[in-house]
């Protein structure tokens, strides 16, 4: 009879400890969901900002923009090209 009471107490204790463990884990998961949402919002904000900055960099580094800035600074395009060496043929006919 005493063995049955010990087993019953062990089973009740196990059930309560498992329920408490489940409660603690679910509470931790629910709070991490809000943190995950905040991180996701920040990530999308930074991705948008990165996209805008890369578009700005591409715009500023375009040849049209560079030539406009060179014109404003007074640079003139070179009419003739000079070469130190002559152009060699790619293949020589035997």
């Amino acid at each position: 009879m005493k063995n049955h009471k010990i087993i019953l107490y062990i089973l009740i204790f196990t059930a309560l400890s498992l329920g408490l463990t489940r409660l603690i884990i679910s509470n931790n998961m629910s709070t991490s969901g809000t943190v995950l949402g905040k991180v996701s919002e920040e990530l999308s904000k930074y991705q948008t900002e990165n996209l805008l900055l890369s578009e700005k960099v591409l715009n500023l580094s375009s040849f049209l923009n560079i030539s406009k800035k060179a014109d404003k600074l007074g640079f003139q395009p070179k009419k003739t090209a000079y070469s130190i060496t002559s152009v060699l043929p790619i293949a020589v006919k035997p």
Side-chain angles (χ1 to χ4, degrees):
M1 193 89 141
K2 199 166 195 169
N3 288 338
H4 296 292
K5 286 184 181 180
I6 293 174
I7 292 173
L8 183 62
Y9 289 138
I10 290 174
L11 288 175
I12 291 173
F13 176 74
T14 304
L16 289 176
S17 63
L18 287 175
L20 184 65
T21 304
R22 181 178 177 186
L23 180 68
I24 291 171
I25 290 173
S26 64
N27 280 339
N28 285 338
M29 289 174 71
S30 68
T31 57
S32 67
T34 58
V35 172
L36 183 62
K38 288 179 185 177
V39 168
S40 178
E41 287 175 9
E42 279 189 45
L43 180 64
S44 66
K45 181 182 86 169
Y46 286 129
Q47 285 175 341
T48 305
E49 187 178 341
N50 189 22
L51 206 106
L52 292 174
L53 287 174
S54 65
E55 189 174 319
K56 188 175 180 180
V57 165
L58 288 174
N59 186 23
L60 290 175
S61 65
S62 69
F63 286 125
L64 184 62
N65 191 22
I66 292 172
S67 79
K68 285 180 184 178
K69 285 184 180 180
D71 286 341
K72 284 182 184 178
L73 291 173
F75 288 96
Q76 297 296 323
K78 196 93 164 153
K79 301 290 182 197
T80 58
Y82 293 104
S83 176
I84 295 175
T85 60
S86 62
V87 178
L88 296 175
I90 296 175
V92 179
K93 291 184 181 179

